């Protein structure tokens, strides 16, 4: 049972937009930055979004992040076949002396 | 560009201690802008943060694993390690060593190492 709640799956056709939600609490998303990670099949995760809505260099602007209260979301617009991957949200949790928490992950399928 | 490489045994017996080392190249483990973390992924499952150590030796651990964990650092070798004691089959996972930036997130990952707990 993950501390951050994500839908297990999402899908859309190429060119469409898909949105992934991430729900937390006041001790994590409500008071700290949200990060998003993309894990392509058979590879290590890579950071996609940092500080709620910022993209590292090299990440296409098709990817965008937002946060409101204790929830966050990742949107992928103009979906492409290479976007088929697992996506995880993460945030620092201030409880119990502090620790990182991840969402359970969302598998995005390009139909 | 920083690179991280995990090393250690791929098979550990139940009740024994799992020990892994991460060798960092292309960057100093003493850099105060970063922390050095371990993340694992159980077979077919999501990511689980294990813990991290920063440049001053301060550690933070996953509360559910804390009693069995240690993350020491060897700055002379630019390495940090992970020990998990009293392992069970539930500790079978791919273990990643990761560099994290406080604002930038976990921005550099090793390739991961599969550790199987079995007799």
């Amino acid at each position: 049972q993950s501390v951050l709640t994500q839908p297990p799956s999402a899908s859309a056709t190429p060119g469409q937009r898909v949105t992934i939600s991430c729900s937390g609490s006041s001790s994590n998303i409500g008071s700290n930055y949200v990060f998003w990670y993309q894990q392509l099949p058979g590879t290590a995760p890579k950071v996609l979004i940092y500080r709620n809505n910022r993209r590292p260099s090299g990440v296409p602007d098709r990817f965008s992040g937002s946060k409101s209260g204790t929830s966050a979301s990742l949107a992928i617009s103009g979906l492409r076949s290479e976007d088929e991957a697992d996506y995880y949200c993460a945030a620092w949790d201030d409880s119990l002396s502090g620790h990182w928490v991840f969402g359970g992950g969302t598998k995005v399928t390009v139909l | 560009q920083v690179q991280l490489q995990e090393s250690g045994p791929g098979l550990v017996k139940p009740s024994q201690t799992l020990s892994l080392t991460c060798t960092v190249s292309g960057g100093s483990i003493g850099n105060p802008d970063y922390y050095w973390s371990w993340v694992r992924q159980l077979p077919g499952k999501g990511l689980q943060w294990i813990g991290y150590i920063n440049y001053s030796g301060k550690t933070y651990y996953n509360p559910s694993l804390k009693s069995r964990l240690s993350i020491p650092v060897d700055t002379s070798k630019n390495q940090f390690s992970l020990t998990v004691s009293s392992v069970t089959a539930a500790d079978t996972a791919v273990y990643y060593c990761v560099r994290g930036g406080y604002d930038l997130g976990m921005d550099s990952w090793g390739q991961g190492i599969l550790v199987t707990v079995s007799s």
Side-chain angles (χ1 to χ4, degrees):
Chain A
Q1 193 82 358
S2 302
V3 174
L4 304 181
T5 302
Q6 297 180 237
S9 63
S11 61
T13 56
Q16 286 192 324
R17 175 185 174 95
V18 66
T19 301
I20 302 168
S21 61
C22 176
S23 177
S25 68
S26 58
S27 63
N28 42 65
I29 293 179
S31 50
N32 295 296
Y33 291 131
V34 176
F35 300 80
W36 289 90
Y37 298 89
Q38 178 194 56
Q39 186 176 31
L40 296 169
T43 69
K46 78 165 193 177
V47 61
L48 203 62
I49 296 288
Y50 66 97
R51 291 179 68 178
N52 302 332
N53 55 18
R54 303 193 181 194
R55 287 184 307 275
S57 59
V59 173
D61 60 5
R62 301 185 294 104
F63 295 92
S64 61
S66 63
K67 170 184 150 178
S68 178
T70 59
S71 294
S73 62
L74 172 72
I76 311 172
S77 58
L79 194 65
R80 303 177 66 161
S81 58
E82 57 260 40
D83 299 332
E84 190 159 288
D86 293 319
Y87 294 84
Y88 297 90
C89 58
W92 182 256
D93 193 303
D94 293 328
S95 67
L96 301 172
S97 302
H99 56 286
W100 281 103
V101 290
F102 282 100
T106 299
K107 169 69 177 178
V108 169
T109 301
V110 182
L111 300 171
Chain B
Q1 182 169 344
V2 70
Q3 292 187 323
L4 296 89
Q5 178 68 59
E6 306 88 352
S7 59
L11 181 64
V12 181
K13 288 182 167 49
S15 80
Q16 294 192 340
T17 296
L18 178 161
S19 295
L20 298 174
T21 296
C22 182
T23 301
V24 179
S25 57
S28 171
I29 207 166
N31 187 327
D33 293 335
Y34 298 101
Y35 57 86
W36 307 92
S37 192
W38 290 95
V39 175
R40 72 182 184 180
Q41 187 164 32
L42 281 60
K45 301 294 184 182
L47 304 173
Q48 182 182 37
W49 179 74
I50 297 171
Y52 83 65
I53 188 166
N54 69 10
Y55 75 102
S56 66
K58 173 73 173 175
T59 53
Y60 291 86
Y61 295 129
N62 185 317
S64 68
L65 302 170
K66 184 176 182 178
S67 63
R68 301 193 291 129
L69 294 180
S70 176
I71 299 181
V73 65
D74 186 337
T75 53
S76 67
K77 295 183 179 178
N78 222 34
Q79 295 175 332
F80 65 105
S81 300
L82 170 70
T83 64
V84 184
S85 63
S86 305
V87 296
T88 69
D91 294 306
T92 293
V94 173
Y95 287 77
Y96 295 98
C97 60
V98 188
R99 184 185 79 168
Y102 294 99
D103 286 345
L104 298 178
M106 299 181 205
D107 65 350
S108 295
W109 296 64
Q111 67 183 24
I113 183 170
L114 174 62
V115 178
T116 301
V117 178
S118 175
S119 55

